[in-house]
């Protein structure tokens, strides 16, 4: 391959991946340092939302310097009709006991904020010492509630559905990709 073709190939690849694996790793490392400073080696209970948050959470907790206990919750979102009105119902499985503990909710994307706000309220019912939110992607232009993350990897104004780094495309593929790109299947 000539030098000119190699350069062109790298340029195409760079455009296709909005957030490279290296850029993500550097940002997650910086978030880990910031969180470590905030908790000063105190035990941190990390609540991870499945399915979206598992890759981000796995990398993030390895960057936190101090004791970490992981808990996993899975959201169950369903549309229900009651009295002729359609509404969306959000439920989570069992809640961990978090009374008096420092808690960090970790999710991959903060979009409308409705689901995270609901879960934060539910976790707050356990009366933790502190309760904070960390997300990889913050999409403030899509927010429907007054919620801001305490820690975020990247802020994006994009309306894209992101694929890679644990996030699936609309057809279910792509979670294993190391970088993040817009979903080409939409």
């Amino acid at each position: 391959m000539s030098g000119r073709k190699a350069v062109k190939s790298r340029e195409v690849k760079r455009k296709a991946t909005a957030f490279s694996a290296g850029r993500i790793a550097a940002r997650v490392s910086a978030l880990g340092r910031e969180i470590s400073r905030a908790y000063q080696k105190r035990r941190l209970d990390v609540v991870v939302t499945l399915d979206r948050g598992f890759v981000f959470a796995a990398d993030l907790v390895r960057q936190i310097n101090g004791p970490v206990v992981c808990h996993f919750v899975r959201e169950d979102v369903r549309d229900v009709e009651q009295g002729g009105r359609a509404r969306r119902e959000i439920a989570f499985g069992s809640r961990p006991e978090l009374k008096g503990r420092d808690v960090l909710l970790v999710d991959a994307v903060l979009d409308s904020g409705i689901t995270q706000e609901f879960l934060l309220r539910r976790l707050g019912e356990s009366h933790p010492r502190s309760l904070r939110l960390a997300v990889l992607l913050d999409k403030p232009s899509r927010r429907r509630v007054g919620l801001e993350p305490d820690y975020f990897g990247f802020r994006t104004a994009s309306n894209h559905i992101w694929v890679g780094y644990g996030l699936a495309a609309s057809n279910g593929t792509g979670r294993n990709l190391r970088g993040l790109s817009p979903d080409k299947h939409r």
Side-chain angles (χ1 to χ4, degrees):
M1 181 184 282
S2 75
R4 178 170 273 174
K5 284 184 183 175
V7 168
K8 195 171 209 172
S9 173
R10 280 192 301 263
E11 286 173 7
V12 169
K13 198 175 246 183
R14 202 173 290 132
K15 286 178 187 173
T17 303
F19 299 103
S20 69
R23 187 172 174 197
I24 294 169
R27 185 64 187 126
V28 171
S29 179
L31 284 173
R33 287 189 304 274
E34 187 178 346
I35 292 166
S36 296
R37 279 191 302 274
Y39 291 100
Q40 302 174 1
K41 299 198 185 253
R42 293 191 316 262
R43 172 186 161 148
L44 181 60
D45 284 66
V46 175
V47 177
V48 181
T49 58
L50 297 176
D51 295 327
R52 300 183 326 173
F54 77 100
V55 172
F56 173 51
D59 286 348
L60 181 62
V61 298
R62 289 185 296 216
Q63 299 298 321
I64 296 172
N65 185 14
V68 172
V69 175
C70 291
H71 309 274
F72 301 92
V73 295
R74 176 169 276 144
E75 66 186 65
D76 179 19
V77 179
R78 54 187 172 258
D79 293 320
V80 296
E81 195 168 313
Q82 187 175 19
R85 292 181 47 194
R87 66 183 175 95
R88 181 156 279 180
E89 203 171 70
I90 303 170
F92 286 90
S94 63
R95 252 187 325 212
E97 178 52 48
L98 302 169
K99 185 175 184 169
R101 300 205 179 135
D102 290 309
V103 178
L104 181 65
L105 174 60
V106 176
D107 201 348
V109 181
L110 178 57
D111 199 1
S112 72
I114 292 170
T115 303
Q116 290 91 348
E117 182 185 59
F118 175 82
L119 184 52
L120 286 165
R121 275 197 324 265
R122 297 282 301 193
L123 293 172
E125 292 171 0
S126 295
H127 305 289
R129 176 182 176 174
S130 67
L131 180 57
R132 294 183 180 158
L133 173 63
V135 297
L136 177 65
L137 295 173
D138 181 24
K139 298 168 94 175
S141 66
R142 304 208 15 119
R143 200 87 74 246
R144 292 178 49 198
V145 296
L147 178 65
E148 293 298 320
D150 299 283
Y151 307 99
F152 65 89
F154 305 100
R155 224 171 227 144
T156 176
S158 166
N159 286 329
H160 292 299
I161 300 296
W162 294 94
V163 177
Y165 200 69
L167 300 173
S170 55
N171 68 0
T173 62
R175 288 188 193 275
N176 61 317
L177 300 174
R178 296 182 59 198
L180 276 166
S181 303
D183 185 355
K184 290 179 176 50
H185 295 97
R186 291 199 99 210

